[in-house]
Amino acid sequence: MKEKKEVIEYTGFQALYLAALDSDVSFITGVPGYPVTSLMELFLRITGDYSARWFTNEKVALETALGSSVSGRRTLVLVKHVGMNLLSDPLITSVTHTIGAGLVIIAGDDPGAKGSQNEQDSRWYGRIAEIAVFDPTSPDTAYRSLRRAYELSEETKTPVLLRVTTGLEKTKGKVNRLGKSSAPHPEFDHEIWKKRMVEKHRLFHLRTYPLLEEEAENTDLNEVRERTAENTADESVLGRECLGIISSGFTSSIVEEILSKQNKFRAEVSYPEISHLSLGLVNPLPLKKIKDFLKINQKVLVAEESEPFIEEQIRITGKVYGKKTGHLPYGQVRPEDLEFALEHIEEEILKLEATTSFGAENKKRVGICDNCAYLPLYRFLSTLDVRIAGDMGCSVRSAPEPLAAVDVSFALGSAISVACGFEKKGIAVIGDFALAHSGILGLLSAANTGCNVLVLVLQNEVAAMTGGQAVPDLRKVVEAITPDVLVFDIDVSEKKVVDETQKITDETEEQADITEEVADKVEEIANKIEVEEIANKIEVEEVANKIEKLTDKAENEIKVENGIEKLLLTPKLSKLIQAKLALPGISVIFIKGKCRKYCSGTFY
């Protein structure tokens, strides 16, 4: 009897890793951020025939990737959804400028905002930049999407966007690997320089974009999956309206899961047949395929995560339901959300409050770590009567009660520029990673325009919110921009307090030993002297008084010890901050402190 081979299942991110290897990708750039950090770590942890490195800024990561592409190397860029905002400048220009070897950007969206400042939908950048956008549904489609993305990138000489979400990261499935690609790959074609910008744009729409539209209509990643309920043979349900579902990305997997259970449910809601159009390539939309799908269905529910990207483009038909009609929530879509939408599909418009996900969860907010070296600083900042701009690092977690340390926080690296707009001198609290990401530009502008701002750089030497990647030291760069730069080391300050506390403790123990010796002496005197009771009584009282004084001194010193501990390392720093606030111009204080979660890292 032959032994059955064990079928290996891969997560969506593992499938993307394999697809990159099989596509002959030789250069990977990335910026840490949820949820793509774990994907980049696969490339960093496993050695291969490629070079992978972290960057601190998405625009720089894409620009470096473009340099790799024009030289004939297939390249991969990994960013989270908000990183798309920064790299959009070179991205949009590269489309009509053209590139060389295949270049794919994987954007990690975060429906539910589990580790992000918003629920931005990266698919919109496909429309803005006019590039292909893949939105895979499973590990196997993720593998096939990335393989095809590199081919399409080279056929159209444009970057391609592949959107992933946290659901794809966690799901597992079989992957059918294809044959490996091999070099050589195309380099940049200088013939494009013979055309003016207007000509480039027109040529793109004449030749290139039609290739993308054809791809969307013909790819097997966009497919209709028919579902027929058990009761379709019943004449009582024949001729009733048909319901269709259009979905994309990981939501397609949820739709398939729900529909596989819903045959009995369908009979109850009078929809014996449900067809499902699953879209794995969402820009350009396969409009012909969607038009045909709409023709055969009286009602169509659009299920997609984050924003109504597909729904917005087809809702003019009047038979489309989804986020805009209140049937599904914005952001993350879960199985119970789809079940709710199907139960209420007969209703034309639903109030937002009626959707199952709205206000359904009141999860505890993630705050600052209990042992964070900067907790005393946040507590002190909350007592100041001055506006404070935070950043999208750890400091953003100090904004809510009970700390309430910072007033506003808009984007990674924004604190300095925001604080420069305050009506009077305020404080910018920014991490060293955010400073390297884009905050340094705000500081440069502040110095050039003569802003009044106190910048507190929390230098823990790691990107603590994204996995502990190491951060470059920019103190010398900052000193070249502005002369008023100081360094305060919280860890050294803490060591001094610990040493002082130990000294007091040792002195207390020494006094306790002396007290014990005196007590022994009192007992000895009491035993030897049986006469002169009055004299003895006086002597004993004097000794007792001495003991009491020594005890009080020890207790006072213990109180001092506790008082020093309660100050939590900030007396000198608090005075320094107040003094710098009183001065005009720019002041920068680097506040060094080890991250208790990530004490070290390697900057690739």
Side-chain angles (χ1 to χ4, degrees), residues 23 112 124 144 151 179 244 246 253 278 329 342-343 402 432 495 512 522 525 539 550 555 602:
S23 297
W124 291 109
R144 290 192 288 130
E151 296 171 350
I246 299 176
S253 298
S278 175
L342 292 171
E343 288 170 7
D432 49 359
K495 187 177 185 303
V522 171
I525 293 171
E539 185 176 352
L550 291 170
E555 288 177 353
T602 303

Side-chain angles (χ1 to χ4, degrees), residues 73 125 155 193 272 379 459 465 524 537:
R73 295 193 296 168
Y125 275 105
E155 290 170 11
W193 287 116
R379 293 193 183 106
Q459 191 178 23
M465 294 276 281
E524 184 182 345
K537 186 177 180 181

Side-chain angles (χ1 to χ4, degrees), residues 91-192:
L91 170 63
I92 294 171
T93 301
S94 69
V95 174
T96 49
H97 182 72
T98 71
I99 62 172
L103 193 161
V104 178
I105 302 165
I106 294 182
D109 283 8
D110 186 11
K114 302 175 191 68
S116 309
Q117 61 264 49
N118 64 29
E119 289 184 294
Q120 183 177 307
D121 194 324
S122 298
R123 294 176 299 172
W124 291 109
Y125 275 105
R127 298 206 72 192
I128 295 171
E130 299 180 299
I131 59 174
V133 179
F134 289 87
D135 196 9
T137 66
S138 65
D140 187 59
T141 57
Y143 176 88
R144 290 192 288 130
S145 295
L146 189 56
R147 293 301 307 271
R148 179 58 187 149
Y150 277 104
E151 296 171 350
L152 191 60
S153 175
E154 292 176 354
E155 290 170 11
T156 59
K157 299 182 180 180
T158 64
V160 170
L161 180 62
L162 191 150
R163 178 219 199 193
V164 298
T165 62
T166 52
L168 183 66
E169 175 193 8
K170 296 173 183 176
T171 189
K172 280 191 171 185
K174 302 174 185 177
V175 174
N176 181 28
R177 296 180 71 173
L178 307 174
K180 292 187 177 183
S181 301
S182 59
H185 304 294
E187 296 184 10
F188 176 70
D189 185 357
H190 289 80
E191 287 293 311
I192 195 70

Side-chain angles (χ1 to χ4, degrees), residues 21 43 75 114 146 159 206 211 246 271 297 300 306 310 338 347 354 392 394 499 511 537 541 558:
L21 294 185
F43 291 99
T75 306
K114 302 175 191 68
L146 189 56
L206 181 65
L211 293 177
I246 299 176
Y271 285 104
N297 291 287
V300 173
S306 295
I310 300 170
L338 277 168
E347 301 173 46
M392 282 302 166
C394 292
D499 291 343
Q511 295 296 344
K537 186 177 180 181
E541 286 179 353
I558 291 171

Side-chain angles (χ1 to χ4, degrees), residues 210-248:
L211 293 177
L212 299 180
E213 292 175 321
E214 184 180 353
E215 179 76 17
E217 296 293 346
N218 298 321
T219 178
D220 60 358
L221 294 170
N222 293 338
E223 62 173 337
V224 177
R225 303 172 184 177
E226 297 290 347
R227 282 289 185 278
T228 303
E230 294 172 354
N231 62 357
T232 51
D234 188 347
E235 291 183 3
S236 64
V237 299
L238 291 177
R240 294 186 181 179
E241 292 183 340
C242 292
L243 173 65
I245 300 177
I246 299 176
S247 67
S248 80

